[in-house]
Amino acid sequence: MSDVQTPTAIAASAVPIPAVAAESVGKSFNPGTRKQVDALVDVSLTIRPGEFVSLIGPSGCGKSTLLRVVADLLQPTSGTLLVNGKSAKQARLDQDYGMAFQQAGLFEWRNVARNIELPLEIRGWDAARRHARSKEMLELVKLPDFANHMPWQLSGGMQQRIAIARALAANPPLLLMDEPFGALDEMTREHMQAELLSICAATGTTVVFVTHSIPEAVYLSDRVVVMSPRPGRITSIIDVALGDARNDDTREASEFYRKITEVREALRGADHAGRSATTGARGIEDR
Amino acid sequence: MNTTTLRRNATNVAVPLVFGVIVLVAWQRFVEWRKIKPFILPTPSTIWHEAVDKVNLLRAASFVTGENAIVGLLLGIIVGTVVAMIANRFRVLSELITPLAAAISAVPIVVIVSILNNMFPLGSQVARRLMVTIIVFFVVFVNVARGLRQSDPTQVELMRSYAASERDVMRKVRLPNAMPFLFTAIKIAAPISVTTAFVSEYFGGTQDGLGQKIASSMSSSKFPLGWAYVGAACLVGLIFFAAANILEFLAVPWQRRRDSR
Ligand SMILES: Nc1ncnc2c1ncn2[C@@H]1O[C@H](COP(=O)(O)OP(=O)(O)O)[C@@H](O)[C@H]1O
Ligand SMILES: [Mg+2]
């Protein structure tokens, strides 16, 4: 980028509006009391549209808090945050993002199709349009024959796929995921990772993905954001981008291992920067 | 339904049935053996013959008590659920109702019924039905309020992420989540509604319900008939209990699923 930009040059370069733009965001719980916890301190992060960004760090470093601040489920105590160029609240009201958690959080009394249709129902879509959309989403997550099943009839992996289908149903440009595969077994998990990548490639969705698995972060991400606890802050951001043609062979490639090592070292560094230098990066999985 | 649940259901029915038969036989034998006077304890067979003989009387009284119970039960369920929903939205209200509930449940039924009886004209069933309503209300209120509070936080958070209104959160998350709690409350309240109606009848008012019939039969030395009325009261209570269980089975299938895990 050139050093001097005229206003016309800025307009002409047509920089896309960032999916997420966080500027010195801070979040304290119970501020001003003895129970004050500084969950986030001075977090600055810009995420481009279509980018896949993972947040990694030991338990309690503020990953979920950061995700919830982006989702406007928590208000930051300092700094500014824009989602799709709007305030986080406006982005939430516009259903600009979909969300998935470690618990699939399916509604037990609704069948699979009606679970996927829930956000559309809230948006006021009519029934015909909702049905068409849930059918489409079931194709996308490769469960086309399960529309009328009840959640309890599905395996954990299938439930999680339905949760992803639901998060994407309103076609949001942004997907926020908090350890969505954390409760799955290793085989299902790798399968789901590949599936998520192909869904994102098909839809062009931006993803912010919280995980505590280093290989998962490296396999999925364009960039891995490494965080440290007490107070929660970003200590480094690592470019990964293993390319579009990721498959099971990617997991064997030396580049994959090199990136894993790089993230692991960043996490160690982060931990040394924190106060618990002797205990190691707890809660991080090498698998 | 698979074979395990079938077997379990069969056991659930068989065990109390066998036990009941054993008790009846033992009762019959004991009364005959000790030559106990009927005004102390008649035999089951005497009571049975009396019941068959006076089945019309028993049916009439059972219907009166059953109707009192069901009217109070339904009112209590509706009011309890609605108040729990309002209390879920406005914290102050639930802080007001809880001590009030504790205070009222400390007052003996006799007292409340007497007060209510004085409020309504002679021959009215309203006092009994209100008494049942009050008792059922608290059972339902406490349970439903808990169900509304204990909604899955992930589901509530999802609804907020959809920018859902409070009304949608109530209708689509909290109420369905509270359904198993509501049906648990109904299962508890259904037999209680019968005993409450029955006891309320006993303490004054019209003479047509089971509560009064038992009292008057006993005081006019019609002991087998009095006992037949007692049996009818048990039967009405059982029917209410069974109906509540069947209702739950049909209404919250996901709960059935959870239980069988
Ligand atoms: N509602 C809350 N009230 C008080 N402290 C909280 C709350 N939520 C999270 N925290 C604290 O904030 C810190 C970051 O939590 P979290 O974002 O959940 O971490 P992570 O997801 O990285 O494990 C932790 O120390 C946690 O105890
Ligand atoms: Mg977390």
Side-chain angles (χ1 to χ4, degrees):
Chain A
M1 221 179 268
S2 61
D3 294 335
V4 186
Q5 283 186 329
T6 61
T8 31
I10 294 172
S13 67
V15 182
I17 297 168
V20 176
E23 270 285 323
S24 315
V25 166
K27 173 70 190 177
S28 301
F29 291 104
N30 316 311
T33 68
R34 270 197 299 139
K35 286 192 295 177
Q36 173 164 346
V37 178
D38 296 325
L40 294 175
V41 174
D42 196 26
V43 168
S44 296
L45 178 65
T46 306
I47 299 174
R48 293 185 302 274
E51 203 177 7
F52 197 120
V53 171
S54 288
L55 308 178
I56 195 166
S59 275
C61 71
K63 306 182 292 291
S64 298
T65 304
L66 179 53
L67 207 70
R68 280 179 169 74
V69 167
V70 172
D72 188 46
L73 298 174
L74 288 174
Q75 271 65 54
T77 34
S78 61
T80 57
L81 177 75
L82 293 180
V83 177
N84 264 348
K86 323 166 190 177
S87 70
K89 177 165 189 205
Q90 193 56 50
R92 177 171 66 87
L93 295 179
D94 293 349
Q95 289 200 351
D96 275 354
Y97 68 83
M99 212 165 182
F101 302 92
Q102 180 165 352
Q103 288 78 27
L106 298 182
F107 293 52
E108 303 91 314
W109 50 90
R110 289 175 162 249
N111 68 18
V112 163
R114 292 192 63 230
N115 261 286
I116 296 175
E117 290 168 24
L118 179 63
L120 310 177
E121 227 173 276
I122 309 261
R123 294 217 92 174
W125 288 29
D126 63 52
R129 220 174 134 213
R130 290 202 308 261
H131 296 333
R133 187 70 185 150
S134 67
K135 198 153 173 277
E136 216 176 297
M137 297 315 296
L138 281 168
E139 304 270 348
L140 184 71
V141 296
K142 302 200 176 71
L143 292 171
D145 303 325
F146 287 83
N148 294 319
H149 281 61
M150 297 304 284
W152 68 69
Q153 297 171 309
L154 306 182
S155 69
M158 287 155 99
Q159 289 191 14
Q160 203 51 258
R161 273 194 268 177
I162 300 303
I164 293 170
R166 176 177 61 186
L168 291 172
N171 211 2
L174 176 62
L175 184 56
L176 305 175
M177 307 181 92
D178 196 345
E179 303 188 21
F181 307 149
L184 304 180
D185 63 83
E186 191 59 21
M187 294 295 290
T188 315
R189 190 172 177 164
E190 289 190 357
H191 184 70
M192 295 288 298
Q193 290 166 1
E195 210 125 282
L196 177 62
L197 281 182
S198 80
I199 289 171
C200 291
T203 56
T205 313
T206 314
V207 184
V208 184
F209 189 98
V210 170
T211 178
H212 53 244
S213 156
I214 300 173
E216 180 167 82
V218 169
Y219 181 76
L220 289 173
S221 310
D222 297 317
R223 284 189 295 160
V224 176
V225 173
V226 178
M227 298 178 67
S228 79
R230 271 153 297 221
R233 60 169 81 241
I234 295 177
T235 49
S236 53
I237 298 179
I238 294 163
D239 281 300
V240 183
L242 294 174
D244 287 336
R246 272 163 285 184
N247 54 34
D248 283 351
D249 295 337
T250 311
R251 298 183 198 276
E252 312 287 324
S254 61
E255 178 68 3
F256 184 58
Y257 283 107
R258 217 172 53 72
K259 286 297 177 185
I260 286 180
T261 309
E262 197 178 330
V263 172
R264 188 181 300 137
E265 268 160 16
L267 275 163
R268 266 197 211 121
D271 213 49
H272 283 300
R275 259 168 255 167
S276 50
T278 49
T279 48
R282 277 167 301 162
I284 300 294
E285 289 172 21
D286 270 350
R287 61 183 177 92
Chain B
M1 217 186 292
N2 56 34
T3 41
T4 344
T5 46
L6 264 180
R7 193 175 305 144
R8 193 168 48 204
N9 286 345
T11 319
N12 282 350
V13 176
V15 169
L17 215 61
V18 168
F19 182 71
V21 169
I22 291 174
V23 168
L24 283 178
V25 170
W27 174 357
Q28 179 85 24
R29 288 285 146 80
F30 183 75
V31 172
E32 286 168 359
W33 173 48
R34 303 296 304 178
K35 302 206 167 42
I36 294 173
K37 296 280 185 304
F39 65 85
I40 297 174
L41 189 65
T43 59
S45 59
T46 329
I47 298 169
W48 175 251
H49 286 126
E50 186 70 14
V52 172
D53 210 36
K54 306 270 169 58
V55 69
N56 288 334
L57 292 180
L58 295 180
R59 194 188 295 130
S62 299
F63 272 109
V64 170
T65 302
E67 197 182 334
N68 286 340
I70 201 138
V71 170
L73 181 62
L74 290 178
L75 268 177
I77 290 169
I78 293 167
V79 179
T81 307
V82 170
V83 175
M85 281 166 68
I86 298 170
N88 185 262
R89 281 286 277 283
F90 307 101
R91 186 54 55 79
V92 201
L93 196 64
S94 72
E95 276 161 18
L96 271 172
I97 292 175
T98 316
L100 185 73
I104 292 185
S105 39
V107 181
I109 292 186
V110 207
V111 178
I112 304 178
V113 170
S114 308
I115 295 170
L116 288 174
N117 270 333
N118 288 334
M119 288 176 162
F120 297 98
L122 229 64
S124 154
Q125 302 283 4
V126 177
R128 289 103 184 247
R129 292 175 182 179
L130 274 183
M131 189 63 237
V132 176
T133 307
I134 291 171
I135 300 283
V136 172
F137 166 82
F138 288 121
V139 175
V140 171
F141 171 78
V142 169
N143 278 280
V144 173
R146 185 181 307 146
L148 293 174
R149 243 181 293 124
Q150 290 185 350
S151 298
D152 180 346
T154 306
Q155 290 173 351
V156 175
E157 217 161 36
L158 275 169
M159 291 300 274
R160 287 195 52 207
S161 84
Y162 306 147
S165 63
E166 271 303 316
R167 189 160 158 266
D168 274 338
V169 175
M170 177 58 82
R171 276 184 18 210
K172 294 178 198 281
V173 181
R174 295 199 190 280
L175 266 186
N177 257 313
M179 288 315 264
F181 292 81
L182 172 64
F183 282 96
T184 301
I186 293 176
K187 278 198 301 189
I188 299 168
I192 293 180
S193 72
V194 178
T195 31
T196 307
F198 177 86
V199 171
S200 313
E201 286 162 5
Y202 189 85
F203 295 117
T206 54
Q207 307 284 313
D208 46 3
L210 286 168
Q212 280 290 342
K213 293 294 182 191
I214 291 169
S216 59
S217 308
M218 296 295 192
S219 61
S220 55
S221 302
K222 294 175 190 157
F223 300 109
L225 182 60
W227 279 91
Y229 278 122
V230 173
C234 291
L235 196 64
V236 174
L238 264 177
I239 290 170
F240 270 60
F241 180 70
N245 276 279
I246 292 167
L247 206 64
E248 180 192 40
F249 188 80
L250 296 175
V252 280
W254 67 91
Q255 178 67 17
R256 193 189 328 164
R257 181 67 207 185
R258 251 184 220 157
D259 286 347
S260 66
R261 282 233 173 108

